[in-house]
Amino acid sequence: MEYVAVLAQTWAAVEPRQQWIDHGYARARTIDELVNDFLLANDPFPVGTAVFAARWQPGRWGLAQVVSRDDMDEWAVVFIDGSGKVVRDHVELCPAL
């Protein structure tokens, strides 16, 4: 499972408002619903964070740094190798540990 989805599930399990929402649902919420709620309330990739970002070639990732959060699920990153600035969503980013 991808990085933000794991954070969202962990957050929803302990965050009181999310527990209240989940308790009121007649069905289990989808991972996409949890991720959207999580991203509305949290920023998993703050400005300055080192990340691996997806490249245009399938299966390729490059080391980058977050320079801005442009939307709820979009971050602008600059690749460290100098290949430029791109915008990626949460499935196209993971922390560079």
Side-chain angles (χ1 to χ4, degrees):
M1 186 174 288
E2 59 97 19
Y3 175 73
V4 172
V6 171
L7 290 177
Q9 287 179 320
T10 303
W11 171 79
V14 298
E15 205 281 323
R17 183 173 179 269
Q18 290 304 307
Q19 290 176 336
W20 179 78
I21 290 169
D22 288 341
H23 182 71
Y25 269 70
R27 60 166 175 77
R29 293 197 309 149
T30 67
I31 192 64
D32 289 337
E33 290 170 324
L34 290 176
V35 166
N36 284 340
D37 285 351
F38 175 75
L39 290 175
L40 282 171
N42 299 278
D43 184 358
F45 307 108
V47 171
T49 301
V51 295
F52 286 109
R55 299 263 189 189
W56 288 114
Q57 301 90 358
R60 299 273 320 247
W61 294 79
L63 186 59
Q65 184 174 23
V66 175
V67 293
S68 67
R69 185 175 186 181
D70 296 345
D71 199 359
M72 180 187 82
D73 191 16
E74 288 185 344
W75 291 264
V77 301
V78 174
F79 286 105
I80 302 301
D81 67 8
S83 61
K85 181 177 170 182
V86 296
V87 175
R88 297 290 184 254
D89 68 15
H90 76 273
V91 297
E92 299 170 306
L93 297 172
C94 67
L97 300 176

